């Protein structure tokens, strides 16, 4: 049965499945993500959706503003959104919506400028404590050692022996519980805009044991799997590597995290149904970026603009999206959610639309599909100086990665250019793994896409990102857990 929004002003739920890449989830697989697949079956699924950046902060600000990182200015060169651009949160609040947010990711908190406009915002990012197996004091002490040169292999092995076991990743379940309580406590008939970020598929992969056991290869226990080292920065500098068998285990843990988070999508739907809000809700399930789990020699989502870190799942359920009931490969960006959600709610928000660089993909909007998507990676996080401070040896390739990357991708080709002038061209139809650079053999196509990128860069003023951003010790601890420090 297809649900359609009964009101002209539907509730909006924007549910971000942090670090969930397209490789495992596009199209939605009933075996791995049955709840996402059920939404797609009675809604709309976009199989060519791409992030504007390969990590959380810039991608979320793009989602909120409909702009790209170099315009909104929140990226690794300046890890703060200064509020100089209007956001969809402000637009919904101004239109009379009740606005609520909850985040498991420390980048999506007040400290980085992402909570303005919310009537209520729940910072649940401290649940990274669950990943370390320590309480707040032990958590901070652990990270102090990890960031220092004392935090070497022996310390990491000891830490894992102490902390494995149990069901460590519970942030998404707690988020759904909070939403249920929030809905139960509402005393307003106004529509609501609800944003939630759940971080489980992010490194370290520590899925609940009941999910992990469904995916682990034969002969691998849960404790043995979680004892594998997973610090992406230690991997980058060569302190450890995986055998083929161990890579299979790590990928199994990642898939288990996806399965667990999909179950929470189902729980959230059930919560909305129990509250009598589901029929009146437009539900968006999307990821902010993807992940490399061994592809291209990487662990995590730093240093590149491959499709593995840019292509994401996107399913929209409710209203015109359920009425259209499509699976489409039209090119879409996460930034396009800003005007699309405004169209779904019938909100003008002229200031936001004027500043936006995005295109609505609302089924009744009549906007022509994109011919291309753009992505930017302004600088690695952490900076090379942080790696030099922590590690005795930093490989030369990490110095080579200290550069801005920009990409333009059509449905057939991707062009990538680094700030040092290096260029790559990939045939994404014939070579979806982006293994073969064909720029030298295709100078005309390379030049055409380079000109397209230059024209795009010249179409707007880049943000002024002068000035440092200070964060608290507790935030540094949480960022260390995520591999950013």
């Amino acid at each position: 049965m297809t649900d359609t929004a009964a009101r002209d002003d539907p509730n909006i739920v924007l549910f971000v499945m942090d670090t969930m890449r397209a490789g495992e989830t596009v199209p939605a697989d009933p075996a791995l993500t049955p709840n996402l697949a059920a939404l797609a079956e009675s809604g709309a699924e976009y199989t060519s959706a791409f992030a504007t950046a390969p990590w959380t902060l810039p991608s979320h600000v793009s989602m909120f503003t409909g702009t790209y990182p170099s315009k909104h200015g929140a990226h690794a060169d300046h890890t703060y959104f200064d509020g100089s651009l209007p956001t969809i949160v402000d637009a919904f609040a101004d239109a009379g919506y009740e606005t609520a947010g909850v985040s498991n990711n420390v980048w999506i908190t007040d400290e980085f400028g992402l909570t303005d406009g919310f009537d209520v915002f729940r910072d649940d990012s401290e649940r990274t404590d669950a990943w370390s197996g320590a309480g707040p004091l032990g958590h901070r002490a652990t990270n102090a050692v990890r960031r220092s040169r004392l935090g070497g292999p022996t310390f990491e092995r000891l830490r894992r022996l102490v902390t494995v076991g149990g069901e460590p990743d519970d942030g998404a379940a707690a988020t759904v519980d909070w939403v249920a309580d929030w809905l139960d406590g509402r005393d307003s008939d106004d529509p609501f805009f609800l944003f939630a970020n759940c971080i489980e598929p992010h490194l370290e992969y520590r899925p609940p044991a009941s999910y992990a056991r469904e995916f682990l290869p034969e002969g691998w226990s849960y404790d043995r799997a979680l004892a594998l080292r997973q610090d992406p920065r230690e991997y980058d500098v060569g302190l450890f590597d995986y055998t083929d068998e161990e890579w299979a285990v790590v990928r199994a843990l990642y898939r288990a995290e996806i399965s667990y988070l999909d179950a929470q999508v189902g729980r959230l739907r059930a919560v909305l149904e129990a509250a009598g809000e589901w029929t009146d809700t437009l539900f968006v399930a999307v990821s902010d970026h993807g992940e490399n789990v061994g592809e291209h020699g990487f662990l995590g989502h730093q240093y590149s603009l491959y499709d593995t870190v840019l292509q994401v799942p996107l399913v929209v359920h409710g209203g015109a999206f359920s009425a259209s009931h499509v699976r489409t490969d039209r090119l879409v960006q996460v930034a396009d959610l800003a005007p699309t959600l405004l169209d779904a709610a019938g909100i003008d928000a002229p200031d936001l639309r004027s500043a936006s660089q995005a295109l609505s993909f609302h089924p009744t909007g009549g906007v022509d599909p994109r011919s291309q998507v753009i992505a930017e990676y302004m600088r690695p996080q952490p900076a090379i100086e942080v790696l030099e401070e922590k590690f005795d040896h930093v490989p030369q390739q990490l110095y080579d990665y200290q550069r801005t990357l920009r990409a333009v991708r059509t449905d057939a080709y991707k062009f990538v250019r680094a700030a040092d002038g290096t260029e790559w061209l990939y045939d994404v139809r014939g070579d979806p793994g982006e293994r073969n650079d064909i720029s030298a053999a295709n100078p005309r196509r390379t030049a055409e896409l380079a000109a397209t990128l230059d024209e795009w860069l010249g179409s707007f003023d880049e943000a002024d990102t002068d000035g440092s951003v200070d964060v608290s010790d507790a935030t540094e601890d949480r960022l260390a857990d995520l591999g950013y420090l």
Side-chain angles (χ1 to χ4, degrees), residues 64-88:
F64 285 4
T65 65
T67 63
Y68 291 87
S70 56
K71 180 170 181 175
H72 62 60
H75 44 69
D77 278 329
H78 185 74
T79 54
Y80 185 78
F81 175 55
D82 63 8
S84 60
L85 294 170
T87 71
I88 55 172

Side-chain angles (χ1 to χ4, degrees), residues 29-110:
D29 180 359
L32 178 64
T33 55
N35 293 288
L36 201 61
L39 290 173
E41 181 65 24
S42 56
E45 182 174 17
Y46 296 85
T47 60
S48 295
F50 291 85
T52 60
W55 66 287
T56 296
L57 177 64
S59 183
H60 274 78
V61 179
S62 290
M63 206 180 299
F64 285 4
T65 65
T67 63
Y68 291 87
S70 56
K71 180 170 181 175
H72 62 60
H75 44 69
D77 278 329
H78 185 74
T79 54
Y80 185 78
F81 175 55
D82 63 8
S84 60
L85 294 170
T87 71
I88 55 172
V89 185
D90 294 326
F92 278 99
D94 291 344
Y97 274 65
E98 185 175 358
T99 57
V102 55
S103 172
N104 295 172
N105 191 318
V106 66
W107 288 116
I108 315 304
T109 55
D110 179 65

Side-chain angles (χ1 to χ4, degrees), residues 436-456:
N436 302 304
D437 171 23
I438 61 171
S439 58
N442 295 268
R444 182 174 178 179
R445 179 71 64 181
T446 301
E448 287 175 351
L449 290 176
T452 297
L453 186 58
D454 288 336
E455 181 180 0
W456 175 79

Side-chain angles (χ1 to χ4, degrees), residues 114-178:
L114 269 292
T115 62
D116 286 353
F118 286 101
D119 295 320
V120 58
F121 193 92
R122 167 81 171 184
D123 178 359
D124 236 2
S125 59
E126 189 65 28
R127 287 194 174 272
T128 50
D129 288 346
W131 302 348
S132 71
L137 291 176
H139 174 68
R140 286 192 278 273
T142 294
N143 280 315
V145 176
R146 288 177 69 182
R147 290 199 303 273
S148 74
R149 286 183 173 169
L150 297 175
T154 300
F155 172 79
E156 285 298 305
R157 282 195 291 271
L158 178 61
R159 185 179 73 88
R160 282 171 173 76
L161 286 171
V162 171
T163 62
V164 295
E167 301 224 333
D169 273 2
D170 63 353
T175 290
V176 176
D177 291 344
W178 180 86

